[in-house]
Amino acid sequence: MTDVMSIVGARPQFVKAAVVSRALRRIGIRETLIHTGQHYDAGMSAVFFEEMGIPEPDVNLGVGSGSHAYQTGEIMVRLEEQLMSRPNPDCVLVFGDTNSTLAAAVTARKLHIPVAHVEAGLRSFNQRMPEELNRIVTDRLSDWLFCPTETACENLQNEGITNGIHLTGDVMLDATLHFADRARKPAQDFPDRSYVVATVHRAENTDDPKRLGGIMTALGALQVPVLFPAHPRTMERLKGFALPDNIFLVQPLSYLEMLYVVKRALRVITDSGGLQKEALWLGTPCITLRDETEWIETLEGGWNVLAGADPDRITAAMRRDPGSPIPSIGRVDGNSASDRIASILLSN
Ligand code: UD1
């Protein structure tokens, strides 16, 4: 194929698209890039396009925020208009597990356009997470399933999916490797290994005052400064909180700034999926504010510890040093994941 339409909408998808877009264009595939507008603040969207050199989207659907049904439905309606107003692409390429991913996969397949899914096969086995539902449906509908890990391939096989599975490696690893030496120091900075980087954005943590309270108590009890770049929703929920003095709440950091602070931190404490892996790739142990992870390989040797939102578990995890070596995750020998994806698409 030579004509691909990529759909992005939320922060982690910009990171993935940055490397995949480059690989597609380098190999001679024509790419139409559609931004759903799910994330729209400059710090959540534009800064990624600028600093990672992502091509300007051909169209921005401007969907913005809303309930899951509103956001998903509105993306479907607006994307369908786009798809029907132009010749069909050879495939629609979707990334990860957001509402933009689900909406695009359903819309494309209803128009009989093949779908390729980057980051297929991830499972938390927790269907209370909207992302888990988005993954299951998207994988069911996808013709090409690009898996970052062996575990992801096995998850698909266990669900009876046998066709179109490709172990490609992780495109987020490509991004970390490509951009690592361009890491940029943010305005708020601390000496190396003297601080923690924390992020919290999942609804299960931000929208439950008991969980958010537990996390903030644990962070406040740490003996080190905590750099806390907050997602807009988290910022909103923290408005009523009396923040402990060691917590430095800042606006979301850019990708290059995150690379800088994560590489130098003592620990990363997060409920993000991507950050769990980025921490390890950059040599920093991680504590995950959830009870399960899709990236089970990260748990080996205690490099990533599941702590829920429980202050005691978080404090205990801070005290434990991981063994060596750092677990390998998302690496497949040979080409980068994004080059592998581009050549599979080109040859189909
Ligand atoms: C989405 C993804 C999640 C991903 C995350 C990365 C889904 C279901 N979830 O979650 O998998 O890990 O992106 O950040 O798609 N908001 C702003 N400005 C923005 C974007 C969001 O203020 O630019 C606020 C709005 O109040 C909005 C809320 O954040 O209602 C949540 O945004 P939304 O896109 O619904 O989901 P995320 O929590 O960001």
Side-chain angles (χ1 to χ4, degrees):
M1 66 178 73
T2 53
D3 194 1
V4 168
M5 179 184 279
S6 302
I7 314 292
V8 296
R11 202 163 45 169
Q13 293 167 329
F14 308 143
V15 176
K16 293 165 195 149
V19 286
V20 174
S21 248
R22 235 169 358 99
L24 294 180
R25 292 166 195 238
R26 199 166 42 218
I27 209 169
I29 292 178
R30 197 166 51 249
E31 184 192 38
T32 306
L33 186 61
I34 308 271
H35 188 326
T36 64
Q38 178 171 350
H39 285 175
Y40 44 84
D41 285 350
M44 299 284 286
S45 175
V47 66
F48 291 82
F49 283 78
E50 284 155 22
E51 74 176 18
M52 302 181 88
I54 307 170
E56 184 73 21
D58 295 273
V59 179
N60 189 322
L61 302 177
V63 165
S65 299
S67 71
H68 287 276
Y70 168 84
Q71 204 171 45
T72 311
E74 203 60 29
I75 295 169
M76 289 178 68
V77 171
R78 298 185 195 191
L79 181 61
E80 186 182 57
E81 279 167 13
Q82 287 298 322
L83 285 166
M84 292 182 68
S85 68
R86 53 178 88 222
N88 277 356
D90 297 324
C91 96
V92 163
L93 184 61
V94 298
F95 301 85
D97 55 16
T98 73
N99 290 339
S100 297
T101 316
L102 170 71
V106 175
T107 308
R109 278 305 297 271
K110 289 216 165 181
L111 294 172
H112 311 299
I113 302 169
V115 172
H117 184 201
V118 175
E119 210 174 78
L122 272 294
R123 295 291 182 270
S124 64
F125 303 101
N126 172 5
Q127 292 203 6
R128 290 185 56 81
M129 287 176 72
E131 292 85 358
E132 183 76 351
L133 306 177
N134 294 345
R135 293 176 194 132
I136 292 170
V137 178
T138 303
D139 285 338
R140 262 287 146 209
L141 298 179
S142 293
D143 300 86
W144 293 276
L145 298 119
F146 298 130
C147 298
T149 60
E150 294 268 11
T151 308
C153 297
E154 285 160 20
N155 289 337
L156 293 174
Q157 282 151 3
N158 290 341
E159 290 176 15
I161 299 176
T162 48
N163 288 333
I165 300 176
H166 299 270
L167 175 63
T168 57
D170 195 328
V171 298
M172 291 193 78
L173 172 62
D174 298 353
T176 300
L177 296 175
H178 182 78
F179 290 101
D181 53 4
R182 277 178 250 175
R184 194 152 52 83
K185 189 165 152 170
Q188 181 78 57
D189 180 36
F190 303 95
D192 286 8
R193 302 287 180 206
S194 72
Y195 64 97
V196 160
V197 178
T199 77
V200 177
H201 77 276
R202 298 222 180 247
E204 61 174 313
N205 285 329
T206 59
D207 296 1
D208 177 345
K210 197 158 159 267
R211 284 183 74 95
L212 190 57
I215 293 167
M216 297 318 282
T217 303
L219 297 179
L222 300 179
Q223 305 298 315
V224 294
V226 176
L227 179 61
F228 193 122
H231 183 287
R233 183 184 40 224
T234 316
M235 200 64 105
E236 187 63 34
R237 299 290 187 275
L238 286 176
K239 271 189 182 145
F241 271 73
L243 279 187
D245 289 345
N246 67 324
I247 298 187
F248 294 79
L249 192 66
V250 298
Q251 292 298 321
L253 296 183
S254 76
Y255 183 72
L256 295 183
E257 289 173 328
M258 274 312 266
L259 287 179
Y260 187 97
V261 298
V262 167
K263 188 178 164 68
R264 291 164 177 78
L266 190 57
R267 290 283 186 286
V268 166
I269 303 185
T270 187
D271 60 8
S272 151
L275 212 44
Q276 294 170 43
K277 298 171 293 168
E278 286 163 345
L280 268 56
W281 291 327
L282 294 165
T284 302
C286 183
I287 300 169
T288 295
L289 301 169
R290 292 174 50 198
D291 289 307
E292 73 279 312
T293 177
E294 299 78 19
W295 307 101
I296 53 171
E297 298 82 356
T298 59
L299 302 174
E300 284 163 30
W303 273 86
N304 184 18
V305 178
L306 298 177
D310 177 350
D312 292 341
R313 284 165 69 194
I314 298 169
T315 317
M318 264 310 277
R319 286 204 208 97
R320 249 197 331 260
D321 281 324
S324 61
I326 302 178
S328 167
I329 175 157
R331 277 177 213 276
V332 176
D333 288 342
N335 282 340
S336 70
S338 21
D339 285 329
R340 201 170 278 119
I341 287 167
S343 59
I344 293 168
L345 291 177
L346 186 67
S347 66
N348 271 278

